[in-house]
C-alpha cells in the first residue's frame, strides 16, 4: 500500500506527535538519558508554543502510561473540575441555556500542568529545568508557525482587537497575523515557566521536592492568584454575545490535583485495549469493538462500503450510549460493566442493518441508569449548517466558538515504558490571555449540560465529559501500542478506523494512518452549539466513487471532503525488541522520529 512516509523503526526510542518540533524535543530528552515520561513532558510543553491554536498552559489532559519495571498501566487524570460557583442556577440566572463555547464562563480548573508534574515526579528522571528547556527556548526565540495558526488567529482577529486586547498583544505582534513560517513566541509565558523553576529551586530538596514546590506555586501561589484576580476583575465577551465575569477562583485551583486511576479495558481478539473511564468519551471505542466482534471484518475490503457502513452504524449506537450514560463516575453511576457486556452488545448488534443507514439516535435501556437524549434542537442546528466539517483542526465560528482542537504525543523508550498523552484546551481562541501569565484558560465547561437529570449535567466539582481520548493496547498480554488523534467527537471514530485496519488488514502503523478515513455527525456535538446532523458521514475524497455511491444507496448522507482531511493520528508500538512509530501527514505538521 502507498504511504506518505516510512514507518519509523528503531531500538533506542520513538516519539510521535502532532508537530515535528515537539517530536524532536521529546527525542532530545531520550538522547540526553531521559525516559519516555521525561520526553513526553518536554514535548507537551513545547506544543504549547508550536500549536497554540490547539492547546495551552491553561488546558487539560488525560494520559495513559505503562511502567515497564512494574508492568503497570495507569490513567493520569489531568481533567480539571467545574468551579464551586459553576452552578446551573448561576448560568440560567445570566439568561443562558448552554455554557458558552468561549470566555471565562466556559472555564474549569486547568489541569494539564499538574498532570505533567505528577508524571514527571513519579515516573520521570529529569529536572524541571531540563524538561522545560526546549519550550522556554521556543517561547523566548519563537517557533515557526504552521499556516493554520495564522488562519485561526484571522477568524478571531476582530475579537482580539475590540474585546481581548491581552490576546492581541501576544498573537497579533505589531498588529499583524503571523505568516506561515514566521517565528512566534510568548515571552510572558517563558517568564512564568522560569519563575516556576526558580521557586521550585528556592524550595530546596531533591528533584521530587522541587517538582512539588512547582505544583504548589501553580495551584496556591502566584499562578492561582493571577487566575483568581483575572476572573474576578474582567467582564469578558464570549460566544453568547454578552460579557461575563468568570467563576473560577484560586480556591478552586488549590483544592484540585491531578490523580491516578485504573484504565478501563476491553479484550478484542489478541488485544486488550485500554481507555479512560466514562468521564471521557474513550469507552465509546471499547463499545464499538464490542459491537463489531463476530462480523468477519478481516474478509472485508478496508475501503469498501460494507466495512465503512458497519463501522458507521456501530459508532451511531456507541455514541448514543455516550449521550445517555457517560459522566463523571464520582457523581454518576455509569453502568460500564453492562455497556461492555456480551449480552448487552449481542442485543444492540441486532439493530445494525447492513442494508440501510439508521437515522435515529438509539441509546440502550438500562434500568436505573442514563438520562434523556432528546436532541431535536441540536438536530435543527445541524441541519442549519452548524455541524462543521470536523477536520480535526479548529473549526472556528464568527465569535471564536471552536471544535476539535487538540494535540497528541506518543513515546516508547528502550526500557519499554509507554505513554499516550492528549493535551488540549486553553487554545488561543478560548478566552483572553492573562497578561501576568502569558496564557489563557480552557473552555471545557461547554461540555456540561445546563439541564438536570443528565449524566453530564453541570455540578460544582464535577469533571466535564471530555472528548479527549488517548489509547493504549496490549497484545497477548504484553504492552504493545499507544495511539491517538485530535478531533473532538471524531477522536474515537478515527482511532477505531486506524485500529481495525492495523489489526484486521495487516497494515503497518503508517499504512493504517494514511488509509482513507471518515467520520459521522449523527449525534449531538460535545461543543457549543451542540449541533447534530442525523445520517451525515464525511468521507475523504480518496474513496472510490463506487463506495460512495453504494453508501448513499444505503441511505447515508455523504459529504465528500478533501483527499487528506480526516484525522491527525499518531502511533507508536513495540514488538520483538523493535520500536515503531508513525504520524499523520494531513496538515503537514505531524511527525514521528526515532532510532
Amino acid at each position: 500500500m502507498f504511504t506518505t512516509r516510512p514507518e519509523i523503526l528503531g531500538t533506542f526510542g520513538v516519539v510521535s506527535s502532532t508537530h515535528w518540533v515537539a517530536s524532536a524535543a521529546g527525542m532530545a530528552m531520550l538522547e540526553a538519558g531521559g525516559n519516555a515520561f521525561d520526553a513526553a513532558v518536554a514535548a507537551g510543553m513545547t506544543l504549547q508554543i508550536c500549536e497554540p491554536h490547539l492547546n495551552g498552559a491553561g488546558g487539560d489532559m488525560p494520559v495513559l502510561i505503562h511502567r515497564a519495571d512494574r508492568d503497570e498501566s495507569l490513567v493520569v487524570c489531568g481533567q480539571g473540575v467545574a468551579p464551586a460557583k459553576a452552578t446551573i442556577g448561576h448560568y440560567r440566572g445570566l439568561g443562558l441555556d448552554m455554557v458558552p463555547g468561549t470566555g471565562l464562563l466556559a472555564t474549569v480548573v486547568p489541569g494539564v500542568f499538574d498532570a505533567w508534574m505528577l508524571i514527571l515526579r513519579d515516573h520521570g528522571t529529569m529536572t524541571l529545568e531540563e524538561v522545560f528547556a526546549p519550550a522556554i527556548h521556543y517561547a523566548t526565540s519563537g517557533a515557526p508557525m504552521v499556516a493554520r495558526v495564522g488562519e485561526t488567529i484571522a477568524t478571531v482577529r476582530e475579537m482580539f482587537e475590540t474585546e481581548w486586547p491581552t490576546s492581541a498583544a501576544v498573537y497579533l505582534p505589531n498588529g499583524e497575523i503571523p505568516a506561515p513560517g514566521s517565528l512566534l513566541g510568548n515571552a510572558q509565558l517563558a517568564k512564568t515557566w522560569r519563575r516556576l523553576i526558580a521557586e521550585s529551586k528556592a524550595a530546596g530538596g531533591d528533584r521530587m521536592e522541587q517538582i512539588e514546590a512547582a505544583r504548589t506555586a501553580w495551584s496556591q501561589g502566584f499562578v492561582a492568584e493571577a487566575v483568581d484576580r483575572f476572573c474576578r476583575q474582567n467582564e469578558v465577551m464570549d460566544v453568547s454575545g454578552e460579557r461575563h465575569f468568570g467563576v473560577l477562583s484560586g480556591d478552586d485551583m488549590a483544592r484540585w490535583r491531578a490523580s491516578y486511576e485504573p484504565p478501563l479495558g476491553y479484550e478484542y481478539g489478541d488485544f486488550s485495549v485500554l481507555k479512560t473511564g466514562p468521564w471521557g468519551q474513550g469507552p465509546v471505542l471499547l463499545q464499538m469493538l464490542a459491537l463489531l466482534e463476530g462480523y468477519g471484518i478481516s474478509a472485508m475490503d478496508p475501503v469498501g462500503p460494507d466495512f465503512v457502513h458497519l463501522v458507521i452504524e456501530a459508532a451511531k449506537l456507541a455514541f448514543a450510549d455516550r449521550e445517555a450514560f457517560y459522566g463523571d463516575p464520582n457523581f454518576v453511576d455509569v453502568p460500564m460493566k453492562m455497556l461492555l457486556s456480551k449480552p448487552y452488545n449481542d442485543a444492540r448488534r441486532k439493530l445494525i442493518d447492513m442494508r440501510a443507514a439508521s437515522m435515529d439516535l438509539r441509546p440502550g435501556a438500562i434500568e436505573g441508569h442514563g438520562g434523556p437524549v432528546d436532541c431535536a434542537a441540536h438536530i435543527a442546528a445541524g441541519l442549519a449548517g452548524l455541524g462543521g466539517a470536523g477536520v480535526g483542526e479548529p473549526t472556528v465560528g464568527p465569535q471564536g466558538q471552536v471544535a476539535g482542537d487538540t494535540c497528541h504525543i506518543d513515546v516508547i523508550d528502550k526500557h519499554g515504558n509507554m505513554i499516550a498523552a492528549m493535551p488540549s484546551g486553553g487554545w488561543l481562541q478560548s478566552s483572553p490571555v492573562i497578561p501576568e501569565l502569558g496564557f489563557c484558560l480552557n473552555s471545557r465547561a461547554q461540555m456540561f449540560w445546563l439541564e438536570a437529570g443528565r449524566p453530564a449535567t453541570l455540578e460544582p466539582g464535577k469533571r466535564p465529559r471530555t472528548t479527549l481520548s488517548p489509547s493504549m493496547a496490549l497484545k497477548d498480554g504484553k504492552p504493545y501500542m499507544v495511539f491517538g488523534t485530535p478531533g473532538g467527537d471524531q477522536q474515537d471514530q478515527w482511532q477505531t478506523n486506524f485500529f481495525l485496519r492495523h489489526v484486521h488488514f495487516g497494515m503497518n502503523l503508517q499504512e493504517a494512518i494514511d488509509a482513507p478515513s471518515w467520520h459521522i455527525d449523527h449525534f449531538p456535538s460535545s461543543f457549543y452549539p451542540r449541533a447534530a446532523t442525523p445520517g451525515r458521514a464525511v468521507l475523504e475524497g480518496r474513496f472510490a466513487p463506487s463506495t460512495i455511491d453504494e453508501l448513499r444507496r444505503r441511505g447515508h448522507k455523504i459529504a465528500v471532503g478533501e483527499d487528506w482531511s480526516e484525522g491527525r493520528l499518531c502511533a507508536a508500538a513495540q514488538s520483538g525488541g523493535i520500536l515503531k512509530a508513525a504520524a499523520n501527514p494531513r496538515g503537514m505538521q505531524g511527525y514521528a522520529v526515532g532510532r
Side-chain angles (χ1 to χ4, degrees):
M1 176 182 171
F2 167 80
T3 59
T4 57
R5 57 189 72 168
E7 180 186 56
I8 299 296
L9 301 178
T11 58
F12 178 79
V14 290
V15 183
S16 178
S17 85
T18 47
H19 197 287
W20 69 88
V21 170
S23 297
M27 195 68 198
M29 297 301 108
L30 296 180
E31 297 285 3
N35 64 17
F37 310 112
D38 299 314
V41 176
M45 301 304 296
T46 302
L47 283 171
Q48 294 175 21
I49 303 301
C50 294
E51 295 189 318
H53 59 312
L54 301 173
N55 80 133
D60 34 34
M61 175 178 70
V63 185
L64 282 162
I65 67 171
H66 182 83
R67 274 286 294 263
D69 58 344
R70 302 176 186 172
D71 193 25
E72 180 182 35
S73 300
L74 292 169
V75 169
V76 179
C77 177
Q79 177 54 68
V81 300
K85 296 179 181 177
T87 65
I88 291 177
H90 179 75
Y91 288 77
R92 292 287 188 179
L94 296 171
L96 299 169
D97 58 6
M98 289 188 197
V99 178
T102 62
L104 298 180
L105 283 178
T107 294
V108 299
V109 175
V112 68
F113 178 82
D114 200 63
W116 282 134
M117 293 303 97
L118 184 64
I119 291 166
L120 184 65
R121 185 196 72 181
D122 293 348
H123 310 288
T125 65
M126 304 180 85
T127 66
L128 207 62
E129 192 167 23
E130 288 172 321
V131 298
F132 271 55
I136 290 175
H137 167 76
Y138 286 109
T140 304
S141 302
M145 290 293 100
V146 295
R148 191 57 178 156
V149 177
E151 292 167 6
T152 302
I153 294 171
T155 65
V156 288
R157 179 175 187 165
E158 183 178 353
M159 172 80 87
F160 282 7
E161 292 176 334
T162 61
E163 297 286 348
W164 297 3
T166 57
S167 294
V170 176
Y171 295 112
L172 290 169
N174 301 314
E176 299 296 328
I177 295 171
S182 66
L183 297 178
L184 179 66
N186 189 328
Q188 186 57 53
L189 182 56
K191 290 180 182 178
T192 296
W193 287 337
R194 289 193 183 101
R195 182 172 174 183
L196 285 167
I197 293 169
E199 293 200 12
S200 71
K201 286 183 173 180
D206 61 13
R207 185 188 75 90
M208 295 179 68
E209 290 172 327
Q210 290 183 4
I211 293 170
E212 276 301 295
R215 297 177 78 191
T216 300
W218 177 276
S219 64
Q220 300 174 46
F222 76 97
V223 174
E225 290 168 2
V227 169
D228 183 285
R229 185 165 54 249
F230 191 81
C231 289
R232 282 188 291 105
Q233 296 180 357
N234 291 274
E235 199 172 18
V236 168
M237 176 65 74
D238 59 44
V239 73
S240 72
E242 302 291 337
R243 297 179 182 88
H244 297 109
F245 291 102
V247 291
L248 179 66
S249 71
D251 187 58
D252 292 317
M253 293 183 65
R255 291 175 180 272
W256 184 86
R257 286 289 188 279
S259 59
Y260 296 111
E261 59 187 62
L264 191 64
Y266 185 78
E267 302 296 324
Y268 186 79
D270 297 333
F271 296 86
S272 178
V273 184
L274 306 182
K275 301 292 284 187
T276 71
W279 50 270
Q281 75 175 16
V284 161
L285 189 153
L286 306 183
Q287 285 196 250
M288 289 178 67
L289 295 179
L291 288 164
L292 292 168
E293 281 191 309
Y295 268 99
I297 290 176
S298 297
M300 294 180 178
D301 178 351
V303 291
D306 283 347
F307 177 66
V308 177
H309 174 87
L310 174 61
V311 178
I312 284 176
E313 294 305 300
K316 290 175 182 177
L317 295 175
F319 276 92
D321 278 352
R322 182 193 75 165
E323 293 305 303
F325 299 109
Y326 288 19
D328 186 346
N330 294 334
F331 287 74
V332 180
D333 182 12
V334 184
M336 279 314 313
K337 186 175 181 180
M338 175 65 77
L339 291 171
L340 294 176
S341 70
K342 188 177 188 305
Y344 181 81
N345 285 285
D346 286 347
R348 295 281 282 161
R349 196 178 297 114
K350 293 176 182 177
L351 297 175
I352 296 176
D353 184 345
M354 288 299 292
R355 300 165 299 176
S358 170
M359 294 295 120
D360 299 321
L361 194 66
R362 300 179 291 178
I366 301 176
E367 187 175 354
H369 299 85
V373 294
D374 179 16
C375 59
H378 311 288
I379 291 172
L383 294 175
L386 296 174
V391 296
E393 287 277 13
T395 302
V396 185
Q399 291 179 290
Q401 67 263 37
V402 293
D405 306 70
T406 305
C407 305
H408 189 78
I409 305 157
D410 295 316
V411 188
I412 304 178
D413 65 26
K414 62 184 177 182
H415 308 293
N417 297 308
M418 305 197 309
I419 180 169
M422 195 77 76
S424 184
W427 43 67
L428 63 87
Q429 61 273 29
S430 60
S431 65
V433 167
I434 300 172
E436 304 98 315
L437 300 176
F439 65 81
C440 53
L441 297 170
N442 63 79
S443 54
R444 194 64 60 183
Q446 67 182 290
M447 298 186 172
F448 286 117
W449 293 92
L450 298 182
E451 302 169 17
R454 293 179 180 264
T457 293
L458 174 65
E459 297 180 67
K462 189 177 186 179
R463 289 174 287 188
R465 191 204 68 203
T466 180
T467 56
L468 304 177
S469 186
S471 297
M472 181 179 292
L474 312 182
K475 185 177 182 181
D476 298 321
K478 298 178 181 179
Y480 174 63
M481 182 167 65
V482 281
F483 58 103
T485 177
D489 296 297
Q490 285 82 51
Q491 288 186 24
D492 285 294
Q493 298 185 56
W494 290 327
Q495 290 182 60
T496 302
N497 300 350
F498 159 82
F499 180 76
L500 294 173
R501 283 165 162 171
H502 179 59
V503 169
H504 286 285
F505 305 114
M507 296 184 187
N508 70 30
L509 301 184
Q510 194 63 53
E511 289 171 337
I513 287 173
D514 285 359
S517 198
W518 70 89
H519 79 272
I520 63 171
D521 298 319
H522 181 80
F523 46 84
S525 168
S526 297
F527 296 87
Y528 184 95
R530 311 303 288 265
T533 311
R536 174 179 157 96
V538 183
L539 274 67
E540 286 185 330
R542 290 181 291 139
F543 278 94
S546 59
T547 294
I548 293 170
D549 290 344
E550 175 58 20
L551 290 170
R552 284 177 171 151
R553 191 191 67 78
R554 297 186 196 189
H556 297 280
K557 298 177 181 177
I558 300 296
V560 179
E562 296 181 3
D563 285 0
W564 295 88
S565 55
E566 293 284 317
R568 290 178 64 213
L569 276 148
C570 299
Q574 57 180 339
S575 178
I578 301 294
L579 305 180
K580 307 174 183 181
N584 172 62
R586 301 163 180 88
M588 301 299 287
Q589 66 193 75
Y591 255 88
V593 296
R595 69 169 179 87

